[in-house]
Amino acid sequence: MRGLSLRRMFRISRFQVFLVAGLTLLAAFMLLPIVYIVNHAFKPFHELFLYPPTFIVKQPTLQNFYDLLLVTQTSIVPMSRYLFNSIFVTGLNVMATLLFSVLCAYPLSKHKFPGKNLIFSTIILSLMFAPETVQIPRYFVISETGIMNTYLAHVLPLVAMPVGVFLMKQFIDQLPDALLEAAKLEGANEWMVFHRIVIPLCMPAVATISILAFQSSWGNVETSTLFTEDETMKTLPFYVSTLTNGLANNVANQGVAAAVSLLLFIPNFVIFLLLQRKVISTMAHSGIK
């Protein structure tokens, strides 16, 4: 009987084999853009313009990264300044987005007040608007508040993230009201309930919003283009976009652009790998098990 149960346990149906094989092929297909980005950064100049283009680099080289160092040494503003601005602005944006998303989602989920449904409906409606539709109103807001050429001009336009509020509210909805009421009966005030119960249980949603906020800020060019005129206040993605401006630079600096693109991609990739389990938990609306 024991041997029969073991055979049943390790028996694999044809459907399971087909499912595993299909998912493996899909995972390999989705890895192709990452493989291309890495290979493109190490291609020598003559391989960058081969036709038909090659997917895998044949003669890998570090020349693109050396050229990047030469370009940055001749620029008026060093690349380290752009990198510092990107890191500083991205850190501020992630923290501010998390703070506003959680503070907005908690009362919408667990409190009753006039206009609650209208506010949430407005947030859902804002998900339908493309970013280009709010560029002009956003510019007037930044200009009238007098924060042009400051770090706030990079952070303030990206703080309001409707998808972050939506994800956080949906996750907090999974928390039972009985748990929060029990904490209040034990003497916990509203801040203690929020800080010690809601936030720890919503860490998967916090991780997901952190990734979304990081991606929107790390690769953002809009704030540097529209809201800053001082070159020392611009970010690294804007600097990357200037490397291939113009017909001549579009050809000569393709290797440099490929190297910088890899450097910009690595932080996104690393952060996603570190927080991917939390993301899956958020999408499954796990709540309390």
Side-chain angles (χ1 to χ4, degrees):
M1 293 295 293
R2 184 178 180 180
L4 181 61
S5 62
L6 288 176
R7 285 196 297 270
R8 289 180 178 177
M9 184 182 300
F10 291 102
R11 183 182 299 172
I12 301 176
S13 64
R14 293 182 179 179
F15 174 75
Q16 290 174 325
V17 174
F18 177 77
L19 181 62
V20 172
L23 292 177
T24 302
L25 293 176
L26 180 62
F29 178 76
M30 296 182 68
L31 282 175
L32 291 180
I34 300 177
V35 176
Y36 179 80
I37 291 175
V38 175
N39 278 270
H40 199 63
F42 291 96
K43 285 182 179 179
F45 186 80
H46 65 277
E47 286 191 34
L48 291 172
F49 297 96
L50 281 179
Y51 185 82
T54 58
F55 193 83
I56 303 297
V57 57
K58 297 179 180 179
Q59 300 176 348
T61 178
L62 295 175
Q63 186 61 42
N64 294 332
F65 297 92
Y66 295 146
D67 294 341
L68 174 61
L69 293 177
L70 293 176
V71 170
T72 56
Q73 289 176 357
T74 58
S75 61
I76 300 176
V77 179
M79 181 181 173
S80 58
R81 178 65 184 185
Y82 296 106
L83 181 60
F84 170 78
N85 290 340
S86 290
I87 295 175
F88 184 70
V89 167
T90 302
L92 286 179
N93 184 49
V94 171
M95 291 187 292
T97 302
L98 283 174
L99 179 63
F100 282 93
S101 297
V102 175
L103 291 178
C104 182
Y106 177 62
L108 287 175
S109 176
K110 296 301 181 182
H111 289 271
K112 296 181 180 179
F113 54 90
K116 170 183 173 179
N117 294 331
L118 177 61
I119 293 175
F120 186 66
S121 300
T122 304
I123 293 174
I124 298 300
L125 182 63
S126 63
L127 294 172
M128 302 174 58
F129 290 93
E132 292 77 12
T133 60
V134 296
Q135 282 185 351
I136 295 178
R138 186 179 291 173
Y139 177 82
F140 281 113
V141 170
I142 299 299
S143 177
E144 292 298 326
T145 52
I147 59 174
M148 299 283 285
N149 293 315
T150 64
Y151 286 119
L152 283 178
H154 291 285
V155 176
L156 189 60
L158 304 178
V159 165
M161 182 180 288
V163 66
V165 178
F166 174 76
L167 288 176
M168 183 62 68
K169 180 188 179 300
Q170 295 301 106
F171 202 91
I172 296 178
D173 285 344
Q174 307 299 318
L175 305 181
D177 295 335
L179 176 64
L180 306 184
E181 293 174 0
K184 293 178 181 179
L185 290 175
E186 292 294 330
N189 56 30
E190 195 69 42
W191 169 251
M192 293 177 63
V193 171
F194 176 76
H195 178 66
R196 296 187 179 182
I197 298 178
V198 175
I199 297 299
L201 292 176
C202 293
M203 288 308 296
V206 170
T208 303
I209 297 173
S210 299
I211 293 177
L212 296 177
F214 182 88
Q215 291 178 341
S216 65
S217 179
W218 182 253
N220 184 270
V221 182
E222 176 189 351
T223 55
S224 295
T225 304
L226 301 179
F227 309 137
T228 57
E229 297 178 356
D230 187 357
E231 194 69 24
T232 60
M233 295 300 300
K234 297 182 182 294
T235 57
L236 186 60
F238 176 83
Y239 175 70
V240 174
S241 66
T242 63
L243 294 177
T244 55
N245 283 345
L247 183 60
N249 289 337
N250 191 33
V251 176
N253 286 338
Q254 277 299 316
V256 175
V260 180
S261 298
L262 178 61
L263 296 179
L264 287 174
F265 168 75
I266 289 176
N268 278 318
F269 184 64
V270 171
I271 289 179
F272 180 79
L273 288 180
L274 294 176
L275 302 178
Q276 60 174 334
R277 292 185 179 180
K278 301 292 185 181
V279 175
I280 296 173
S281 299
T282 304
M283 298 308 170
H285 301 291
S286 59
I288 297 179
K289 297 182 180 179

